[in-house]
Amino acid sequence: MKKLLIISSSAAAIALGLSAPAVAQEDTGLYVQGGYSYVNIEPDGADSGIDTNAITGRVGYQFTPMFSLEADVTSGIDDGEFDYNVDEDDFDLDDNEDTDLNDVIAASGDLGLNYLVGLYGRASVPLTERLNVSARAGYAYIDVDASVITPGGTTLAVIEDSADGPALGAGLTYDLTDSWQLRGDYTYYDFEDTDTGAATIAVGYKF
């Protein structure tokens, strides 16, 4: 369902762009943004995901009033707890020997987000003089570490693992002034058998 919502939002933003009025050419150039992100990582088969708080930094370049290229990096500021109640007799950290991200969080313990980086193409469409809707698509890479504990309470190891995959997102941007912006967006990341989503609110500056 998340994928369908993001894809629908992206298609709507692009479709609106075909009929959107032209905006001033001065809406181009470099921009930077920074703010807070709420990240949820949910492996297939889990009843709930792992929540962690993070900070995000972003830099982009607006090539035209509609299209830009941007990159961001997100780093966790706390660890999320997980417990998926795997039976101790059946527990295997990597039962299919592929060391994928889903295996790292297959038991219980604490998960730390080391970093999440992505590169995106972004399309923006004005809704009003100050409010814009945008959609973006790109590719991202995540690196996490986990303190894994068996159901019996034995700490197995602190394990670091990573994954990469496509990403889709949508959001709104409000121009506070000619230079300062407030932006909120949601990005869905398709990492192997693990669904990851990040909701971000950031303040930005246009040069």
Side-chain angles (χ1 to χ4, degrees):
M1 179 61 72
K2 292 178 182 176
K3 295 181 181 178
L4 292 176
L5 288 174
I6 295 299
I7 292 171
S8 297
S9 299
S10 302
I14 293 171
L16 283 172
L18 297 177
S19 58
V23 294
Q25 187 63 32
E26 64 187 19
D27 289 338
T28 60
L30 183 69
Y31 61 89
V32 294
Q33 298 173 350
Y36 164 81
S37 290
Y38 169 83
V39 182
N40 179 270
I41 303 172
E42 182 174 334
D44 285 354
D47 294 331
S48 61
I50 304 163
D51 302 325
T52 185
N53 299 299
I55 55 174
T56 295
R58 181 180 293 141
V59 61
Y61 193 90
Q62 193 84 30
F63 291 96
T64 73
M66 182 181 294
F67 295 105
S68 60
L69 184 67
E70 64 183 24
D72 55 34
V73 57
T74 298
S75 180
I77 55 179
D78 60 11
D79 290 343
E81 296 183 357
F82 58 92
D83 185 359
Y84 295 128
N85 299 316
V86 179
D87 185 273
E88 189 166 12
D89 293 333
D90 297 333
F91 178 79
D92 188 337
L93 178 64
D94 188 18
D95 56 5
N96 54 7
E97 299 182 355
D98 63 358
T99 62
D100 59 34
L101 185 62
N102 207 46
D103 292 325
V104 174
I105 54 179
S108 62
D110 295 323
L111 182 83
L113 172 62
N114 295 326
Y115 57 88
L116 169 61
V117 296
L119 179 65
Y120 311 89
R122 179 171 173 250
S124 302
V125 177
L127 296 179
T128 69
E129 186 176 346
R130 290 186 176 271
L131 184 65
N132 294 282
V133 62
S134 64
R136 67 178 189 168
Y139 206 80
Y141 178 91
I142 190 173
D143 185 270
V144 301
D145 58 43
S147 301
V148 182
I149 304 171
T150 68
T154 301
T155 299
L156 294 179
V158 176
I159 301 169
E160 182 175 356
D161 208 346
S162 59
D164 58 88
L168 291 170
L172 294 169
T173 302
Y174 184 79
D175 291 334
L176 300 171
T177 68
D178 288 343
S179 297
W180 290 97
Q181 298 177 314
L182 181 64
R183 175 174 167 184
D185 56 40
Y186 177 84
T187 304
Y188 171 81
Y189 304 91
D190 188 12
F191 295 132
E192 298 170 352
D193 296 324
T194 303
D195 292 333
T196 299
T200 301
I201 184 166
V203 175
Y205 184 83
K206 298 184 295 182
F207 293 92

